[in-house]
Amino acid sequence: MAVAVSPRPAVPLLRLDNGDPELLEELLGVVARVAATGAFTMGAELELFEKAFARWCETDLCVGVSSGTEAIVLALRALGIGAGDEVIVPASTFIATAEAVVLAGATPRLIDVDPETSLIDAATVAAAINERTRAVIPVHLFGQTVDMDPLMDVARTHGIAVVEDCAQAHGARYRGRRVGTIGDIGCFSFYPTKNLGAWGDGGAIITADAALADKVTLLRSHGERPRYHHRMVGTTARLDALQAAILNAKLPRLEGWNTRRRAIGAMYRAGLADTAVTLPADRGAAHDHVFHLFVVRTERRDALRAHLESCGVASAVHYPVPVHATEAFAAYGQAEGTLPVAERLSGEIVSLPLWPTMEDAEVEAVIAAVRAFRPDDTPAGDAS
């Protein structure tokens, strides 16, 4: 008996490097070059990328690590944060932000977010600070920027550290400054789908604080300096030389890719105005948005996604369950209903297709599909 197979969407959610023949050929050459050297861990390729990424981010220092999650873990450890400490984290984020706090030995204090942006704000952070609070992690979610100046004022007043989660916001600017350079330390992921993505897992921290960078450098490789002399208990969290070389080859394209993402975001904003979906907040020139994701909202989320699929347009949900409502964080005592904005948003958000080589015709196809959506025409079985 034949099994029905759903057709591949005419417009996928995204395309990776294998969808760009010219880039793919260049990166395969990079792989061959590194393979020929046999130098797969640490070394010149990593050092070149660290210097280049620090310069691109307009800061002093970069330390490559094995993932965005480890970037946050090691940042917290370098700051001396661990058992008995609390770290404020938004409930609307990928679980890795809160996971990293637990892995560092501290306790995440999950807070609600702004209903227009899904981001934390200074007032909510200030209300959550107590005698155990040691840090806050603002997450520049979807590629947009947290309002950092008031947040920094709160953090400095209370003497707590600021660890920026920039996993989805490579290159975004807040009042002219690159994200990751405003707090004490900035953490990046280079997962393949990111604005700057590797061919596997990878991450980095950036900072202007030489002592912090040095501590992360030690922690990522068993606290070792020199060889077999271990100054502290570290871990294995190095950015592989192969991933560093791939990232270094792609880095000169990142500004152009972000410019194209912003242009696609502008096309979506113009084309989807006055439709059945709520668009991302337009917060003015002070708040850049590099559109890692273009996220719209509707109370008929399932119906919209079914409609888009029928039109050959892919979609996704980032993220369907806020952190405090996951099974993994049930023991932290913030039951469903305690953070209502994050809970409501998680039931309404939809990510539309977006990648930097997306053609105008593909953007227009998505716009046409969304414009044709009629929320009252809910198909039978819709769970929204």
Side-chain angles (χ1 to χ4, degrees), residues 162-185:
V162 178
V163 178
E164 294 180 70
D165 183 340
C166 310
Q168 298 184 1
H170 308 66
R173 292 183 182 274
Y174 170 77
R175 299 190 183 277
R177 293 168 289 172
R178 297 277 200 197
V179 296
T181 67
I182 303 162
D184 297 283
I185 194 166

Side-chain angles (χ1 to χ4, degrees), residues 1-66:
M1 177 179 172
V3 177
V5 178
S6 299
R8 184 177 179 180
V11 184
L13 186 68
L14 77 164
R15 289 195 178 97
L16 297 176
D17 297 340
N18 59 340
D20 183 336
E22 182 181 336
L23 177 61
L24 181 61
E25 183 178 359
E26 179 182 341
L27 296 181
L28 287 172
V30 169
V31 171
R33 187 191 78 232
V34 175
T37 70
F40 299 118
T41 305
M42 308 294 278
E45 297 288 356
L46 177 58
E47 291 169 11
L48 282 170
F49 173 69
E50 289 173 333
K51 289 175 182 175
F53 193 62
R55 186 167 54 249
W56 191 86
C57 290
E58 300 169 6
T59 192
D60 297 337
L61 300 160
C62 168
V63 181
V65 296
S66 57

Side-chain angles (χ1 to χ4, degrees), residues 81-169:
I81 294 169
D85 299 328
E86 283 191 356
V87 178
I88 296 171
V89 178
S92 292
T93 183
F94 182 55
I95 197 169
T97 314
E99 257 180 345
V101 176
V102 176
L103 292 170
T107 300
R109 177 74 181 276
L110 294 158
I111 64 170
D112 219 341
V113 292
D114 178 83
E116 298 300 316
T117 64
S118 298
L119 305 175
I120 60 173
D121 60 41
T124 310
V125 169
I129 293 173
N130 60 40
E131 66 280 359
R132 294 176 59 196
T133 308
R134 290 287 311 283
V136 58
I137 305 180
V139 179
H140 301 293
L141 195 66
F142 307 146
Q144 61 191 326
T145 57
V146 172
D147 195 2
M148 290 297 295
D149 282 351
L151 181 63
M152 292 301 297
D153 288 343
V154 167
R156 296 302 178 240
T157 297
H158 292 273
I160 65 174
V162 178
V163 178
E164 294 180 70
D165 183 340
C166 310
Q168 298 184 1

